[in-house]
Amino acid sequence: MWWRSASFILDRNDNLRQRDSESRLLSPPSSGMAETLQNPNPINQISAYYQTRAAHHGVVTSDWLAQAQAAVSQPSDHPDTKSSASEKSFSVIEEFNNWRKQPDLAEAVAAIRALASVIRSSEANTIAELQTELKAASDSLKSWDTTSISLTAGCDLFMRYITRTSAFEYEDFNSAKSRFLERAEKFGEISYKARKIIAMLGQDFIFNGCTILVHGFSRVVLEILKTAAESKKIFRVLCTEGRPDRTGLRFANELAKVDVPAKLLIDSAVAYSMDEVDMVFVGADGVVESGGIINMMGTYQIALVAKIMDKPVYVAAESYKFARLYPLDQKDMVPAVRPIDFGVPIPSKVEVETSARDYTPPQYLTLLFTDLGVLTPSVVSDELIQLYL
């Protein structure tokens, strides 16, 4: 029941904490700042997450790449995280965008690195001021793209992690600030290494002679397959095309570089090819409280086919993608919209479905490979409580 969910337990604990800390720490941003941060993206209706991800992970149209470039280069409308920060020209959004230019760096990790820079450049004089500054910076990053689940979850987990410290016991503020920075950098390193940890866990489930179906371009799934190939395992991979951005083509190209046999499928050929498959590997944009996942459009139907044909579905996801969400159906989540190019003109009276992702319930998933270990979907809620408490 909903009152047993992780969010209910965590929200109840948050309310208790807020009564004690409201007068001294973590005051929320002013309403003026909140209004300023509502619509940071210049391109309405299109998820910034999918705009900028396209340049790194897909073979897309020139129009889409132009949109992505515009999103990256657009000046930020966010106020600085502290009034004195303007004198130093420090912007958490600019710092975040600088980190995101690294193709192999996850968006959530880029946000964590940017938040660590906030501590490093802060001129706060008290712990309360520093925490308020961090809270404003975190809210600014989350508002940059409200559709990115990993960005929001990464910021929330960062704030939880660095505040669970003995820094409050230091009488000297500089010592406390150093402790905050130490924990921030440690959390950044943990998040950065998550992919390698998952790769070592996941590759154990790949056996010689197996055929693996993948969907979308997941860097953590790619790392698992590369690790398995480096271990001299022999297998082949079926890659769905992943319309409209053809992420499967990019994924197949990466596999070819490490001499892993790959075959491209059109998205509608999944059921036709499923009898050849031994297992399905997918990534996740977010892992929700139910143990289900939100991922690239088409994941749900692949999981349905795999379930019917008794094929295991493995999910590879870093713990910073664990989100306090509990979608009840496909429409019960913030829509992430992406452009669709059919290659021919579409009549204005014809409606086009532009949703970029779907929700796969936990009963269609077999295991989740995470940096916290190999989990069953039913364990996810417990892990969420441990992460956010």
Side-chain angles (χ1 to χ4, degrees):
M1 303 297 287
W2 66 267
W3 57 82
R4 296 179 184 173
S5 73
S7 270
F8 178 80
I9 296 171
L10 293 167
D11 287 338
R12 182 185 61 190
N13 290 340
D14 284 345
N15 290 336
L16 293 174
R17 286 195 195 96
Q18 188 174 3
R19 292 173 190 171
D20 296 332
S21 61
E22 207 168 40
S23 61
R24 54 190 177 88
L25 295 174
L26 295 178
S27 59
S30 65
S31 59
M33 177 179 287
E35 291 171 1
T36 305
L37 299 178
Q38 284 300 312
N39 297 299
N41 279 312
I43 305 175
N44 293 328
Q45 305 302 322
I46 304 299
S47 166
Y49 175 71
Y50 286 97
Q51 289 169 11
T52 54
R53 192 180 187 188
H56 290 162
H57 309 306
V59 181
V60 297
T61 65
S62 57
D63 289 343
W64 193 350
L65 290 178
Q67 287 178 334
Q69 184 61 38
V72 172
S73 60
Q74 182 74 16
S76 173
D77 293 332
H78 295 296
D80 292 326
T81 56
K82 191 172 185 286
S83 59
S84 61
S86 59
E87 299 172 6
K88 300 172 61 177
S89 300
F90 177 82
S91 166
V92 69
I93 299 298
E94 290 178 5
E95 183 73 10
F96 170 62
N97 281 330
N98 287 336
W99 281 105
R100 280 194 319 116
K101 290 176 183 177
Q102 300 181 28
D104 291 331
L105 196 68
E107 190 173 57
V109 178
I112 290 165
R113 300 289 197 192
L115 289 171
S117 296
V118 172
I119 301 175
R120 195 176 295 109
S121 62
S122 174
E123 295 182 357
N125 296 312
T126 66
I127 293 178
E129 288 179 6
L130 179 58
Q131 286 194 304
T132 301
E133 189 174 331
L134 278 172
K135 179 67 163 57
S138 175
D139 289 345
S140 179
L141 287 171
K142 289 190 289 185
S143 297
W144 181 84
D145 182 9
T146 57
T147 67
S148 177
I149 298 170
S150 63
L151 178 60
T152 297
C155 289
D156 289 344
L157 285 169
F158 175 89
M159 295 299 294
R160 292 281 183 177
Y161 185 84
I162 65 163
T163 54
R164 285 189 292 186
T165 174
S166 59
F168 298 104
E169 300 173 5
Y170 291 103
E171 293 184 4
D172 177 29
F173 170 70
N174 289 330
S175 298
K177 181 179 177 181
S178 297
R179 178 63 173 158
F180 267 77
L181 183 58
E182 177 187 333
R183 286 185 66 81
E185 292 178 341
K186 181 180 179 182
F187 186 69
E189 285 302 312
I190 291 172
S191 301
Y192 180 73
K193 293 176 180 176
R195 201 176 296 161
K196 291 288 185 183
I197 297 171
I198 296 169
M200 294 305 297
L201 293 172
Q203 66 95 23
D204 286 340
F205 288 76
I206 298 174
F207 54 87
N208 280 322
C210 71
T211 298
I212 302 168
L213 175 67
V214 300
H215 181 60
F217 192 106
S218 166
R219 287 171 292 191
V220 66
V221 170
L222 181 60
E223 192 68 30
I224 290 173
L225 299 180
K226 284 183 175 180
T227 302
E230 290 168 0
S231 301
K232 308 302 181 184
K233 292 184 178 180
I234 300 172
F235 57 93
R236 70 177 185 134
V237 181
L238 305 184
C239 306
T240 58
E241 180 191 8
R243 287 278 296 163
D245 49 347
R246 292 179 287 170
T247 50
L249 177 58
R250 172 68 184 274
F251 200 92
N253 288 339
E254 293 297 321
L255 292 175
K257 292 177 183 178
V258 292
D259 297 322
V260 173
K263 179 181 179 180
L264 273 171
L265 305 175
I266 58 174
D267 293 333
S268 54
V270 168
Y272 172 82
S273 304
M274 189 60 77
D275 60 344
E276 304 175 38
V277 173
D278 294 296
M279 64 191 75
V280 178
F281 270 87
V282 294
D285 288 351
V287 179
V288 299
E289 293 178 29
S290 64
I293 61 169
I294 297 172
N295 194 41
M296 179 179 175
M297 183 66 75
T299 303
Y300 181 34
Q301 62 192 22
I302 290 173
L304 282 170
V305 173
K307 182 73 170 180
I308 290 172
M309 300 185 71
D310 199 25
K311 309 292 183 178
V313 178
Y314 299 132
V315 179
E318 302 90 333
S319 60
Y320 55 71
K321 292 182 178 178
F322 282 38
R324 292 177 61 182
L325 299 172
Y326 204 111
L328 301 176
D329 54 40
Q330 298 299 325
K331 306 299 189 294
D332 189 25
M333 51 188 175
V334 177
V337 180
R338 61 181 171 183
I340 307 289
D341 181 9
F342 289 98
V344 294
I346 304 298
S348 59
K349 294 182 180 180
V350 175
E351 185 179 358
V352 176
E353 177 59 66
T354 57
S355 298
R357 60 195 183 195
D358 57 26
Y359 166 61
T360 304
Q363 61 265 33
Y364 302 109
L365 307 176
T366 307
L367 291 172
L368 291 91
F369 302 140
T370 78
D371 47 303
L372 303 176
V374 180
L375 310 177
T376 60
S378 61
V379 175
V380 169
S381 185
D382 292 337
E383 292 295 334
L384 267 163
I385 292 174
Q386 294 300 318
L387 281 172
Y388 282 95
L389 276 178

